[in-house]
Amino acid sequence: EGLDLVLDVDVQGAVQIRSAVPQAVTVFIVPPSYGDLEARLRGRHPGNGDVVAPRLRTAVEELRLFREYRYVIVNHDLESSVQELKAIIEASRCRTFVRQAAVEAILSTFKKES
C-alpha cells in the first residue's frame, strides 16, 4: 500500500519476517562496543546485575548473526543512528521492484519508433 512498516524485533523475529517477506529490509543495530552496551544496560537497570549479565551473554550470541541482515547501523549516538535509518528507508523505496509499476507507466508514455 506504499506504507513503511517498522518493527523492533529480536533475531528470532527477524528470521520469521525474512521467511514470510523475503524482500523485507532488515537492519541490525549494534552498540559501538561491549563496554558501551554494558554501560547502557547498567544505566537502564541500576543495581540489578541479574538483568544485565544474561542480556550481555545474549548480545554476544546475537551479534554474530549480523551478516543475516541487509544493513547494519553502529549506534554511536541516537541522532546519527536515526539519520542512517532514514537513509536506509529512503533507499529501500527506490528498489526496482518497488518502483516497477511507476516506471512501466512512464515507459508506456514513450512513443514507439515506426
mmCIF file of all heavy atoms in Angstrom, residues 11-12 37 52-64:
data_model
loop_
_atom_site.group_PDB
_atom_site.id
_atom_site.type_symbol
_atom_site.label_atom_id
_atom_site.label_comp_id
_atom_site.label_asym_id
_atom_site.label_seq_id
_atom_site.Cartn_x
_atom_site.Cartn_y
_atom_site.Cartn_z
ATOM 1 N N VAL A 11 16.323 -11.348 17.104
ATOM 2 C CA VAL A 11 16.822 -12.084 15.941
ATOM 3 C C VAL A 11 15.880 -13.207 15.514
ATOM 4 O O VAL A 11 15.765 -13.498 14.322
ATOM 5 C CB VAL A 11 18.256 -12.617 16.164
ATOM 6 C CG1 VAL A 11 19.240 -11.484 16.278
ATOM 7 C CG2 VAL A 11 18.347 -13.532 17.354
ATOM 8 N N GLN A 12 15.183 -13.823 16.457
ATOM 9 C CA GLN A 12 14.228 -14.874 16.091
ATOM 10 C C GLN A 12 13.057 -14.279 15.305
ATOM 11 O O GLN A 12 12.591 -14.868 14.320
ATOM 12 C CB GLN A 12 13.710 -15.611 17.332
ATOM 13 C CG GLN A 12 14.752 -16.423 18.065
ATOM 14 C CD GLN A 12 15.596 -15.590 19.040
ATOM 15 O OE1 GLN A 12 15.283 -14.442 19.340
ATOM 16 N NE2 GLN A 12 16.685 -16.168 19.505
ATOM 17 N N LEU A 37 27.705 -1.178 25.517
ATOM 18 C CA LEU A 37 26.458 -1.902 25.767
ATOM 19 C C LEU A 37 26.293 -2.168 27.261
ATOM 20 O O LEU A 37 25.208 -1.961 27.816
ATOM 21 C CB LEU A 37 26.422 -3.217 24.991
ATOM 22 C CG LEU A 37 25.185 -4.082 25.253
ATOM 23 C CD1 LEU A 37 23.901 -3.346 24.873
ATOM 24 C CD2 LEU A 37 25.294 -5.406 24.515
ATOM 25 N N VAL A 52 21.400 -7.598 33.767
ATOM 26 C CA VAL A 52 22.454 -7.192 32.842
ATOM 27 C C VAL A 52 23.261 -8.375 32.314
ATOM 28 O O VAL A 52 23.482 -8.495 31.103
ATOM 29 C CB VAL A 52 23.373 -6.147 33.512
ATOM 30 C CG1 VAL A 52 24.567 -5.827 32.628
ATOM 31 C CG2 VAL A 52 22.583 -4.884 33.840
ATOM 32 N N ALA A 53 23.713 -9.256 33.183
ATOM 33 C CA ALA A 53 24.582 -10.363 32.767
ATOM 34 C C ALA A 53 23.953 -11.245 31.679
ATOM 35 O O ALA A 53 24.597 -11.506 30.659
ATOM 36 C CB ALA A 53 24.993 -11.189 33.975
ATOM 37 N N PRO A 54 22.703 -11.703 31.849
ATOM 38 C CA PRO A 54 22.121 -12.532 30.777
ATOM 39 C C PRO A 54 21.933 -11.759 29.479
ATOM 40 O O PRO A 54 22.091 -12.318 28.394
ATOM 41 C CB PRO A 54 20.772 -12.973 31.335
ATOM 42 C CG PRO A 54 20.707 -12.562 32.755
ATOM 43 C CD PRO A 54 21.849 -11.639 33.016
ATOM 44 N N ARG A 55 21.617 -10.480 29.571
ATOM 45 C CA ARG A 55 21.434 -9.675 28.348
ATOM 46 C C ARG A 55 22.756 -9.521 27.607
ATOM 47 O O ARG A 55 22.775 -9.519 26.373
ATOM 48 C CB ARG A 55 20.830 -8.321 28.687
ATOM 49 C CG ARG A 55 19.484 -8.462 29.347
ATOM 50 C CD ARG A 55 18.304 -7.738 28.836
ATOM 51 N NE ARG A 55 18.337 -6.946 27.668
ATOM 52 C CZ ARG A 55 17.830 -5.718 27.587
ATOM 53 N NH1 ARG A 55 17.284 -5.154 28.649
ATOM 54 N NH2 ARG A 55 17.851 -5.066 26.454
ATOM 55 N N LEU A 56 23.849 -9.382 28.341
ATOM 56 C CA LEU A 56 25.158 -9.289 27.696
ATOM 57 C C LEU A 56 25.523 -10.603 27.012
ATOM 58 O O LEU A 56 26.049 -10.608 25.894
ATOM 59 C CB LEU A 56 26.229 -8.898 28.710
ATOM 60 C CG LEU A 56 26.185 -7.451 29.191
ATOM 61 C CD1 LEU A 56 27.115 -7.251 30.382
ATOM 62 C CD2 LEU A 56 26.526 -6.494 28.067
ATOM 63 N N ARG A 57 25.239 -11.732 27.659
ATOM 64 C CA ARG A 57 25.517 -13.040 27.042
ATOM 65 C C ARG A 57 24.702 -13.210 25.757
ATOM 66 O O ARG A 57 25.209 -13.663 24.731
ATOM 67 C CB ARG A 57 25.222 -14.176 28.021
ATOM 68 C CG ARG A 57 26.293 -14.362 29.081
ATOM 69 C CD ARG A 57 26.109 -15.668 29.850
ATOM 70 N NE ARG A 57 24.834 -15.732 30.567
ATOM 71 C CZ ARG A 57 24.629 -15.232 31.785
ATOM 72 N NH1 ARG A 57 25.616 -14.633 32.424
ATOM 73 N NH2 ARG A 57 23.458 -15.329 32.376
ATOM 74 N N THR A 58 23.441 -12.831 25.815
ATOM 75 C CA THR A 58 22.576 -12.934 24.630
ATOM 76 C C THR A 58 23.085 -12.029 23.520
ATOM 77 O O THR A 58 23.101 -12.415 22.343
ATOM 78 C CB THR A 58 21.127 -12.569 24.999
ATOM 79 O OG1 THR A 58 20.667 -13.485 25.997
ATOM 80 C CG2 THR A 58 20.211 -12.633 23.791
ATOM 81 N N ALA A 59 23.510 -10.835 23.872
ATOM 82 C CA ALA A 59 24.000 -9.883 22.873
ATOM 83 C C ALA A 59 25.197 -10.438 22.113
ATOM 84 O O ALA A 59 25.285 -10.296 20.887
ATOM 85 C CB ALA A 59 24.355 -8.556 23.542
ATOM 86 N N VAL A 60 26.106 -11.074 22.820
ATOM 87 C CA VAL A 60 27.284 -11.656 22.175
ATOM 88 C C VAL A 60 26.859 -12.703 21.145
ATOM 89 O O VAL A 60 27.356 -12.728 20.015
ATOM 90 C CB VAL A 60 28.242 -12.271 23.222
ATOM 91 C CG1 VAL A 60 29.339 -13.086 22.554
ATOM 92 C CG2 VAL A 60 28.840 -11.182 24.089
ATOM 93 N N GLU A 61 25.912 -13.560 21.504
ATOM 94 C CA GLU A 61 25.427 -14.586 20.583
ATOM 95 C C GLU A 61 24.717 -13.960 19.384
ATOM 96 O O GLU A 61 24.915 -14.367 18.242
ATOM 97 C CB GLU A 61 24.476 -15.535 21.308
ATOM 98 C CG GLU A 61 25.135 -16.359 22.389
ATOM 99 C CD GLU A 61 24.125 -17.098 23.253
ATOM 100 O OE1 GLU A 61 22.956 -17.235 22.842
ATOM 101 O OE2 GLU A 61 24.516 -17.535 24.348
ATOM 102 N N GLU A 62 23.876 -12.973 19.646
ATOM 103 C CA GLU A 62 23.090 -12.366 18.576
ATOM 104 C C GLU A 62 23.942 -11.525 17.631
ATOM 105 O O GLU A 62 23.673 -11.485 16.432
ATOM 106 C CB GLU A 62 21.957 -11.534 19.159
ATOM 107 C CG GLU A 62 20.893 -12.396 19.818
ATOM 108 C CD GLU A 62 19.745 -11.597 20.403
ATOM 109 O OE1 GLU A 62 19.865 -10.354 20.547
ATOM 110 O OE2 GLU A 62 18.717 -12.220 20.725
ATOM 111 N N LEU A 63 24.968 -10.860 18.149
ATOM 112 C CA LEU A 63 25.828 -10.038 17.293
ATOM 113 C C LEU A 63 26.493 -10.855 16.195
ATOM 114 O O LEU A 63 26.757 -10.347 15.110
ATOM 115 C CB LEU A 63 26.896 -9.336 18.124
ATOM 116 C CG LEU A 63 26.468 -8.022 18.745
ATOM 117 C CD1 LEU A 63 27.467 -7.557 19.782
ATOM 118 C CD2 LEU A 63 26.278 -6.975 17.671
ATOM 119 N N ARG A 64 26.736 -12.111 16.465
ATOM 120 C CA ARG A 64 27.370 -12.971 15.456
ATOM 121 C C ARG A 64 26.475 -13.185 14.237
ATOM 122 O O ARG A 64 26.934 -13.647 13.192
ATOM 123 C CB ARG A 64 27.741 -14.304 16.082
ATOM 124 C CG ARG A 64 28.860 -14.165 17.084
ATOM 125 C CD ARG A 64 29.357 -15.509 17.563
ATOM 126 N NE ARG A 64 30.502 -15.312 18.440
ATOM 127 C CZ ARG A 64 30.493 -15.547 19.743
ATOM 128 N NH1 ARG A 64 29.414 -16.036 20.323
ATOM 129 N NH2 ARG A 64 31.569 -15.342 20.462
#
